[in-house]
Amino acid sequence: MSVPSLTERYERLKKLAKNDLKSDAVTAELSAIFAQSLAWVMDVAARQDLASNVPGKAYFMYKLKTGAKTSRPVNASLFDPNVSPAEFGKIAGGDVNGIAAMRLDQLLYTSAMAFCIATDLTGAGNQKTPGTFFEFFAGHLAAIKFNMNPAKRVKVPNADADVDNSLPTDFIFDLGSGKSRIHMPVKTSTRERVVQAWAHQRVLEGMLGAGRYRGILVALTETNKQKEVSVAEVCLPGQWAAYQMYLAPLYRVYYLDLPKAYEPLRDKYPFIQIWPFSRFFTEYEKIANPAP
Amino acid sequence: MSVPSLTERYERLKKLAKNDLKSDAVTAELSAIFAQSLAWVMDVAARQDLASNVPGKAYFMYKLKTGAKTSRPVNASLFDPNVSPAEFGKIAGGDVNGIAAMRLDQLLYTSAMAFCIATDLTGAGNQKTPGTFFEFFAGHLAAIKFNMNPAKRVKVPNADADVDNSLPTDFIFDLGSGKSRIHMPVKTSTRERVVQAWAHQRVLEGMLGAGRYRGILVALTETNKQKEVSVAEVCLPGQWAAYQMYLAPLYRVYYLDLPKAYEPLRDKYPFIQIWPFSRFFTEYEKIANPAP
C-alpha cells in the first residue's frame, strides 16, 4: 500500500462526506481508510512505550522503522491492532449490535486512531487533516443513527429587516418539531478551545429557546506527549464546570479515550454527563426524545 | 544592538510585568524595547510593498537584507519609523496629553508593532512571544489609567461547600463597589478564538450580575499575509453580531489597526462599539464610571 493512496482516499472521503454524510459510500470509504491505515502503520512502524502520567492508563507511540517521525500517544488498552477489515466495516456503518461496550470502545478508538497515526507518521496533509477526518467519522455515525444529514449553519433571528445573518456551527441535526434538535461539536482534543462548544450552545439557547437544542460534544482524547517520552492528560475540570453553569448546559460529552480528570464531573454539580462514546449507541434514541 | 539583548529585555519585561504591571520599571522596559526593536529593524531589514485587498489601506512588510525572513504586514499610514525614543517613552508611560488622535494611533501602532516585527525577523522566542508582549503593553497602559494592577482569576460562586473553583481570565480590574469592574481580553488578532472574549463576558455576567463587568477587548490587527505578496483582513462581522446579541455585550472593542469590515457594526443593532485604541485614552474615565 502506498501513502498517496491513503491521501487520495481522504480526498475522496471529503467529497463524499460533503455530498451525503450518512451514505453507504462514506461507510465504505471510512472502512477502507481504517483498514488501509492500520495495515500501513503495522508495516512501517514499531511500538515504543511512553511513560504514562495518567493513573491506570498505559500509552505507547508508533515510530517509523526507517525515519524519525513518531505518532501521537496511543492508549494501549483501547488500541487493538488485530481488528479485522470486517469489524472495521461494521463500525464504519454504525452496526454495533451485539458488541459489548468495552469491545465497542476498542473498535471505535482503533478506527478513529488508525488514520490519525498514519497521518502523524507520513506528515501528509496539514495539521487539520486528522481533525477533519474525525469530524466526518463521528458525524457519519451520528447521521446514521439520527437518520438525517446535519446542517453546518443556523439562521440568526433579528428584528431588523436589513440583516441577513447566519452563523457557521458544528453539526446541527434538526430532527423535527416533536423531537430533539442536536448541536454536535466534534474535536480531536479540546484544550482552551472547548469554550466554543459551550458558547455556541448558549447562542442557540438565546436564539431559539432554552433546551431546544441538545449539545453533544464528541472528543477523541486529551493526551499530550511530552518530549517523546511521556504522556499526560490536559484537563480543565474547573473551567468546564463554570461553562456548564454559566454558559449553557451540554447534554452529553463523549470521549473515545475518556480523560481521568473529567470522570468526577458526572457526580457533583453541575453534573456534566461525560461518557465513553460507545454509550451514544445505546442512548441515541433517548437523546432524540425531547422529554427531560 | 544585538538580537540577544532584545530577547533579554523581553524576559526582563515578563518578570517586571508579573511583579507590578503598572510600574515605572515596566514603562522603562517597554520604552527601551520599542526603540531598540525599531532601530534593529531599520538596520537589518528593508521595506517591501504588499498588494492590499483592503480598500483604503496600504501595507508593506519588512524583509531581512541578508536572509529570507519577512515580517507580518505593516500598515503604511500607521507605522512611522521616525518615532523618537522620547516619543516611545511617553507612549510607554501612557502620557498622551496634547497628542492628536491620529498621531496617537500612529504612536500606539508603531510601539506595538516594532517588537512584533523584530520577533518575526529573528524568529527568536516562540509563537506566543508577540502575543504575550502585546498583552503586557495594553495591560500596562490600562493599569496606569485605572491606577491599579489587574487580576487574572475570578472566584466561581457555588452553592456546594466542597467546591473551591476559580476561573483563569484575561485582565480583571476591580475598581471598587461604586465603580465599574473591567474585563479586558487582549489579543494580537482574534479570528475564531474571539468567541472566548464574549463567552467569558457571559460567564462573568452569569456569576456576578448583568453589567457588573464592562468587557473591553483590545486587539492589534486582523491582517493576513497571503503568499508573501498580498494582504487581506480576516473578519467575521456576522458572528460578532450574534455573540454580542446572545452571549453578553462587550462595552468596547479597540483596535490598533481597525479592520474595515468591523466599522459598520457600530451603526446597526447590536451596535458594537469598535474604535481605534487612541479613543481609550479619552474615555477611560467614562468606562470607569458605571452609569450607563
Side-chain angles (χ1 to χ4, degrees):
Chain A
M1 192 212 76
S2 70
V3 179
S5 126
L6 203 52
T7 307
E8 280 161 25
R9 282 203 173 280
Y10 169 72
E11 291 301 326
R12 204 182 311 163
L13 174 68
K14 277 208 290 193
K15 283 200 190 96
L16 294 168
K18 278 168 190 176
N19 183 49
D20 183 358
L21 186 58
K22 73 170 168 40
S23 66
D24 292 345
V26 171
T27 296
E29 202 61 37
L30 278 171
S31 172
I33 288 176
F34 299 157
Q36 207 162 301
S37 299
L38 181 63
W40 183 75
V41 171
M42 293 300 109
D43 190 35
V44 302
R47 280 177 65 146
Q48 189 168 312
D49 283 345
L50 292 164
S52 170
N53 296 319
V54 189
K57 288 183 173 187
Y59 286 91
F60 63 89
M61 63 181 177
Y62 281 103
K63 186 174 186 304
L64 284 181
K65 290 172 189 164
T66 53
K69 284 215 167 72
T70 61
S71 77
R72 63 195 61 201
V74 183
N75 183 313
S77 68
L78 284 171
F79 192 81
D80 176 7
N82 300 312
V83 171
S84 68
E87 284 175 302
F88 276 137
K90 290 183 74 172
I91 288 301
D95 175 10
V96 305
N97 285 337
I99 304 176
M102 274 187 64
R103 178 61 180 161
L104 182 52
D105 282 322
Q106 285 184 329
L107 292 171
L108 290 164
Y109 181 82
T110 306
S111 301
M113 285 290 286
F115 178 76
C116 297
I117 296 167
T119 307
D120 293 342
L121 293 175
T122 59
N126 55 36
Q127 225 188 339
K128 277 186 181 169
T129 302
T132 305
F133 163 80
F134 184 60
E135 209 179 314
F136 293 144
F137 170 69
H140 171 67
L141 294 175
I144 288 174
K145 290 308 173 191
F146 293 134
N147 196 27
M148 72 173 296
N149 282 322
K152 299 257 319 180
R153 295 194 85 84
V154 288
K155 209 170 149 50
V156 179
N158 194 315
D160 298 279
D162 63 332
V163 177
D164 179 22
N165 194 1
S166 71
L167 191 69
T169 59
D170 297 289
F171 294 127
I172 296 284
F173 295 94
D174 283 337
L175 301 181
S177 64
K179 293 275 194 175
S180 299
R181 290 165 189 260
I182 314 292
H183 164 227
M184 194 175 97
V186 179
K187 313 276 175 204
T188 49
S189 70
T190 69
R191 306 291 195 273
E192 72 286 354
R193 291 167 287 110
V194 80
V195 72
Q196 195 186 59
W198 271 278
H200 282 179
Q201 183 65 25
R202 172 76 210 178
V203 169
L204 289 169
E205 296 235 334
M207 292 194 312
L208 299 156
R212 189 63 194 98
Y213 282 81
R214 283 187 165 166
I216 312 282
L217 170 62
V218 182
L220 178 45
T221 173
E222 301 294 350
T223 51
N224 193 23
K225 192 166 61 170
Q226 298 161 321
K227 297 181 179 171
E228 300 286 306
V229 295
S230 66
V231 180
E233 285 180 334
V234 181
C235 295
L236 311 163
Q239 287 182 51
W240 281 42
Y243 298 154
Q244 182 82 356
M245 289 161 71
Y246 295 110
L247 288 171
L250 294 179
Y251 189 74
R252 288 288 183 278
V253 179
Y254 294 117
Y255 270 97
L256 277 73
D257 178 13
L258 205 159
K260 278 279 171 192
Y262 286 150
E263 284 182 18
L265 290 176
R266 287 202 291 259
D267 303 317
K268 65 180 178 186
Y269 179 77
F271 306 106
I272 308 177
Q273 293 303 299
I274 305 183
W275 296 98
F277 190 38
S278 60
R279 193 177 165 109
F280 170 76
F281 297 88
T282 65
E283 63 180 9
Y284 66 89
E285 285 167 321
K286 177 183 168 176
I287 293 169
N289 177 346
Chain B
M1 193 214 76
S2 69
V3 179
S5 125
L6 202 53
T7 307
E8 280 161 25
R9 282 203 174 279
Y10 169 72
E11 292 299 326
R12 206 183 309 162
L13 173 68
K14 277 208 291 194
K15 283 201 189 96
L16 294 169
K18 278 168 189 175
N19 183 47
D20 183 357
L21 186 57
K22 73 170 167 43
S23 65
D24 292 344
V26 170
T27 296
E29 202 61 36
L30 278 170
S31 173
I33 287 175
F34 300 157
Q36 206 163 301
S37 300
L38 181 63
W40 183 75
V41 171
M42 292 301 108
D43 190 34
V44 302
R47 280 177 64 145
Q48 188 167 310
D49 283 345
L50 293 164
S52 171
N53 296 320
V54 190
K57 287 183 173 188
Y59 286 92
F60 63 90
M61 63 181 177
Y62 282 102
K63 186 174 186 303
L64 283 182
K65 289 172 192 166
T66 54
K69 282 213 167 73
T70 61
S71 78
R72 62 195 63 198
V74 183
N75 183 313
S77 69
L78 284 172
F79 192 80
D80 177 6
N82 299 312
V83 171
S84 67
E87 284 175 302
F88 276 137
K90 289 183 75 174
I91 289 300
D95 176 9
V96 304
N97 285 337
I99 305 176
M102 276 187 62
R103 179 60 181 161
L104 181 52
D105 282 323
Q106 285 184 329
L107 292 171
L108 290 164
Y109 182 81
T110 307
S111 301
M113 286 290 287
F115 177 76
C116 297
I117 296 166
T119 307
D120 293 342
L121 293 175
T122 59
N126 55 36
Q127 225 188 339
K128 277 186 182 169
T129 302
T132 306
F133 163 80
F134 184 61
E135 208 179 312
F136 292 144
F137 171 69
H140 171 68
L141 294 175
I144 288 174
K145 291 307 172 191
F146 294 135
N147 197 27
M148 73 173 298
N149 282 323
K152 298 256 320 178
R153 296 193 84 85
V154 288
K155 209 170 150 47
V156 179
N158 194 314
D160 297 278
D162 61 333
V163 177
D164 178 22
N165 194 359
S166 71
L167 190 68
T169 60
D170 297 291
F171 294 128
I172 296 284
F173 295 93
D174 283 337
L175 301 181
S177 64
K179 294 276 193 175
S180 300
R181 289 164 190 260
I182 314 292
H183 164 227
M184 193 175 97
V186 178
K187 313 276 175 202
T188 50
S189 71
T190 69
R191 305 291 195 274
E192 73 286 351
R193 291 167 287 109
V194 80
V195 70
Q196 194 187 58
W198 270 280
H200 282 178
Q201 184 65 25
R202 172 77 211 179
V203 169
L204 289 169
E205 296 235 333
M207 292 193 313
L208 298 155
R212 188 63 193 100
Y213 281 82
R214 283 188 165 166
I216 313 281
L217 170 62
V218 182
L220 177 46
T221 174
E222 300 295 351
T223 52
N224 193 22
K225 192 167 61 171
Q226 298 162 320
K227 296 179 180 174
E228 300 287 306
V229 295
S230 66
V231 180
E233 285 180 332
V234 182
C235 295
L236 312 162
Q239 288 182 51
W240 281 42
Y243 297 154
Q244 182 81 356
M245 289 162 71
Y246 296 110
L247 287 171
L250 293 180
Y251 190 74
R252 287 289 183 277
V253 179
Y254 294 117
Y255 269 98
L256 277 72
D257 178 12
L258 203 158
K260 279 279 171 192
Y262 287 151
E263 284 182 17
L265 290 176
R266 287 202 291 258
D267 302 318
K268 66 179 180 188
Y269 179 77
F271 306 106
I272 308 178
Q273 294 302 301
I274 304 184
W275 296 99
F277 190 38
S278 61
R279 193 177 164 109
F280 170 76
F281 297 88
T282 66
E283 64 180 8
Y284 66 89
E285 283 166 323
K286 178 183 168 177
I287 293 169
N289 177 346

